[in-house]
Amino acid sequence: MASLLVKIFSIFLIIICIFTPQALSVVPEECKTETDGCTNKEKALPLKIIAIFSILIASIIGVCSPLFTRSVPALNPERSLFVIVKCFASGIILATGFMHVLPDSFDMLTSKCLKENPWHKFPFTGFVAMLSAIVTLIVDSIATSIYSKKSNNEVIPDVASPVGGRQQDMAVVNVGHFHGHHHGLKPAQGAVDQQLLRNRVIAMVLELGIVVHSVVIGLSLGASNNTCTIKGLVAALCFHQMFEGMGLGGCILQAEYKAMKKFTMAFFFSVTTPFGTALGIALSNTYKDNSPTALITEGLLNASSAGLLIYMALVDLLSAEFMGQKLQGSIKLQIKCYAAVLLGAGFMSLMAKWA
């Protein structure tokens, strides 16, 4: 699955490289950016270089910190504290979709720099986000089905059956429906493997949505020469990447990948925003973030990313967690997790003031 991620990421970079040069087109007169005291290319360059390394370090800390929690007993995935932290991170991912990515897409696709017809006649942001959520559902469902069948073919024959066929029949029970009524018996290995595959699909799809968003915001940062905007944006993006990385890192941890696959996924998350920033710096002489092609390309990518992130946060992370056995068995833990979700979403919503 890590190789699949590499292929998807490579295709995405090719698409960016194809469409980015088109954003070098002539900007309409009424859309040209007004220069002020804050616009200074020479002063902006050192700030953007600092931003690359600051965001890279923050991303590494965020995505890698959950991967080392097994050495901390209190943050073991089986403990309640881990569930609370995961809900906090899920709230951050949800707010990223609603409060950061979706509004940016609305602003871009309703810009005065775009033609009245069709961009001001139809809500493209909502439409693309809706399609993205549906496509994410399709990919999520099909990928789970494919890997579940593959897993069942490999696992079920290995299940021991000391009491006839009864225990082997239980091997196909879905972990989400195993309520512990089979006294003295552990959940079947097949059910455990099924949940593990779900966790891996979730980690892969979530990473894809975050990668798309990260490259776009990095590109915008690198292309900007406004020192007043960059200073606040760098600090906000560092916090943004750190906490978003915690959410992704938690999913990677539960996917139980081998060390190389964990490294690959953490690496791609960590370098995408710095890569986008470096690309923006390289094109800052000619790239116009308010040209029609740039607005359309980034606006549609943001809308797609928003739909994916919102779906993943609500369906695969929060809903799966709150409807699971652990939280359903404890009202007190549910209340703590509700508070964690609200805290994470509220914190990231506040960050929308600067980024």
Side-chain angles (χ1 to χ4, degrees), residues 19-347:
F19 282 100
T20 300
Q22 298 180 26
L24 312 181
S25 55
V26 178
V27 180
E29 190 66 33
E30 66 273 14
C31 295
K32 289 186 176 178
T33 306
E34 295 182 4
T35 57
D36 53 31
C38 291
T39 303
N40 188 317
K41 183 179 178 182
E42 292 182 358
K43 291 183 178 180
L45 182 59
L47 292 176
K48 288 187 278 190
I49 293 174
I50 293 173
I52 289 176
F53 292 100
S54 300
I55 294 172
L56 178 63
I57 293 171
S59 299
I60 292 173
I61 293 173
V63 74
C64 290
S65 55
L67 303 181
F68 296 100
T69 56
R70 288 190 183 278
S71 59
V72 182
L75 291 176
N76 188 284
E78 302 301 323
R79 295 295 189 92
S80 297
L81 182 58
F82 180 85
V83 178
I84 295 172
V85 172
K86 186 180 176 183
C87 287
F88 174 80
S90 299
I92 287 175
I93 292 172
L94 181 64
T96 298
F98 274 118
M99 298 300 296
H100 292 255
V101 191
L102 204 59
D104 285 349
S105 179
F106 272 116
D107 289 342
M108 291 173 180
L109 296 182
T110 57
S111 171
K112 64 180 181 179
C113 302
L114 299 180
K115 293 180 179 179
E116 183 73 18
N117 190 21
W119 301 105
H120 294 262
K121 299 290 186 180
F122 186 79
F124 281 97
T125 293
F127 180 69
V128 173
M130 177 188 70
L131 288 181
S132 175
I134 294 173
V135 170
T136 303
L137 168 63
I138 294 170
V139 172
D140 197 10
S141 176
I142 293 176
T144 302
S145 297
I146 292 173
Y147 286 106
S148 293
K149 288 180 180 178
K150 182 179 178 181
S151 175
N152 287 340
N153 291 335
E154 295 174 356
V155 172
I156 290 180
D158 297 330
V159 176
S161 182
V163 288
R166 178 61 177 163
Q167 189 169 348
Q168 186 157 349
D169 291 340
M170 288 172 57
V172 296
V173 177
N174 186 292
V175 74
H177 300 289
F178 191 96
H179 300 294
H181 300 310
H182 307 282
H183 304 289
L185 292 175
K186 296 181 180 180
Q189 184 63 38
V192 175
D193 288 345
Q194 174 116 358
Q195 184 60 41
L196 179 61
L197 288 171
R198 284 290 303 128
N199 291 338
R200 291 184 175 182
V201 171
I202 290 170
M204 290 286 294
V205 178
L206 181 61
E207 169 124 352
L208 178 61
I210 293 175
V211 162
V212 172
H213 166 56
S214 297
V215 172
V216 171
I217 60 176
L219 186 63
S220 299
L221 172 63
S224 175
N225 288 318
N226 189 314
T227 55
C228 300
T229 302
I230 293 174
K231 290 177 182 178
L233 192 59
V234 171
L237 286 178
C238 284
F239 282 104
H240 177 280
Q241 290 297 106
M242 182 182 294
F243 287 106
E244 195 172 52
M246 287 175 60
L248 178 61
C251 292
I252 295 174
L253 176 65
Q254 289 191 311
E256 297 184 12
Y257 286 118
K258 293 181 180 179
M260 188 60 192
K261 290 185 179 181
K262 288 180 181 179
F263 170 78
T264 302
M265 296 186 74
F267 172 79
F268 278 131
F269 169 78
S270 301
V271 302
T272 45
T273 301
F275 168 79
T277 305
L279 183 62
I281 292 173
L283 299 173
S284 59
N285 287 331
T286 50
Y287 178 86
K288 305 299 179 184
D289 59 1
N290 55 351
S291 70
T293 305
L295 289 169
I296 293 170
T297 303
E298 293 184 18
L300 292 178
L301 286 173
N302 274 335
S304 300
S305 180
L308 190 156
L309 291 175
I310 291 169
Y311 171 89
M312 294 299 296
L314 290 175
V315 178
D316 282 337
L317 297 178
L318 291 175
S319 178
E321 202 69 59
F322 280 96
M323 295 303 170
Q325 282 183 293
K326 194 175 186 67
L327 289 186
Q328 286 297 307
S330 173
I331 297 296
K332 184 178 180 180
L333 183 57
Q334 280 190 48
I335 293 173
K336 291 180 180 178
C337 288
Y338 290 140
V341 172
L342 291 172
L343 186 63
F347 178 79

